[in-house]
Amino acid sequence: MSSIGVLALQGDFDKHLAMLRGLGQAAQALRDASELPGISGLIIPGGESTTIGMLMERRGLLEPLRAAIAAGLPVFGTCAGTILLAKEIEGSDQIRLGSMDMRVLRNAYGSQVDSFEARLDFNDAEHGKILELEGVFIRAPRIESLGPGLKVLSEFDGRPVLVRQGKMLAATFHPELTSSSAVHAYFLETLCGLSLSSANTPPAS
Ligand code: GLN
C-alpha cells in the first residue's frame, strides 16, 4: 500500500499521522530525503515556518523536496506548511520551498486574536459537493494574492483559506485538529489518486 509522508521536523506532524491512519491510510514521518521515493504524497504540518525552513535546509531536504514537488509529488501544507509552500512571504526572506504561486502574510489575524474557530464551506466542485468544516486558525497566515492557476476551495472573511494548484493543496487553518477528515480525504483521493474505503469517506452535507 502506498504511504503518505508527513514532514516531521517540528510542529504538529503527529496529528496528521493520526488523521491519515484514522482514514485507513498508511503514513510515515519523513525526516530524510532518502525516504522520499517511498511516499506517494507529502504533508507539511503547522508549527513555526522559520524553524521548519531552517531544519529543512540543515538536513539537506530543501532541494530534494522542491524537486519532488516540481516533478509532481502531491503536497498538502497546513498553516506553517502553507507559508513554506508560498512563493512570496510578505516582509520576510525566510527559507521556503516557494512552490505555489501565491503571496502570504504571516500572523495576519493580529496578536490579540491569535486563535479562533470559524465554520467554513469546503467547495469540492469536482465531486459536486459542499462540505461544512470547522476551521481552527492558530496564528494563521492570510493568503493575500493568488496566481491564475490557483483554485479557491474555501474562504473566510472574503479571503481564500484553502487553495489548490495542480497537485498542491494549502490550508491556512488546521483540519488535523478537528474531527472532520474531509480535507485529508480530498487530498488522498483527488490529489494523490488513492482510494479510501467508503466506510472511512466523510459523508457529503
Ligand atoms: N505563525 C506561524 C508561522 O509563521 C504558523 C502558525 C501555525 O502553523 N499554526 O510559521
Side-chain angles (χ1 to χ4, degrees), residues 150-179:
L150 277 94
K151 277 192 203 147
V152 177
L153 305 182
S154 186
E155 285 184 341
F156 171 70
D157 220 8
R159 303 277 192 152
V161 293
L162 179 66
V163 296
R164 175 178 175 188
Q165 180 177 6
K167 289 191 176 183
M168 302 180 282
L169 184 68
T172 61
F173 58 98
H174 286 271
E176 74 285 5
L177 298 181
T178 68
S179 54

Side-chain angles (χ1 to χ4, degrees), residues 36 63-74:
L36 276 170
E63 280 310 325
L65 281 183
R66 233 179 236 153
I69 295 167
L73 177 71

Side-chain angles (χ1 to χ4, degrees), residues 46-50 79-80 83 106-107 138-139 174:
E48 185 54 47
S49 59
T50 49
C79 204
I83 296 167
R106 293 176 65 199
N107 303 321
I138 303 170
R139 296 197 311 118
H174 286 271

Side-chain angles (χ1 to χ4, degrees), residues 104-118:
V104 301
L105 176 63
R106 293 176 65 199
N107 303 321
Y109 294 94
S111 52
Q112 285 137 320
V113 201
D114 278 343
S115 307
F116 61 95
E117 291 184 23

Side-chain angles (χ1 to χ4, degrees), residues 23-42:
L23 282 166
Q25 173 61 50
Q28 64 188 82
L30 184 129
R31 297 191 176 87
D32 195 272
S34 64
E35 295 160 327
L36 276 170
I39 59 166
S40 23
L42 175 72

Side-chain angles (χ1 to χ4, degrees), residues 13 26 30 71 78 95 108 143 146 167 170-171 175 184:
F13 53 86
L30 184 129
T78 58
I95 298 162
I143 298 172
L146 291 172
K167 289 191 176 183
H184 287 73

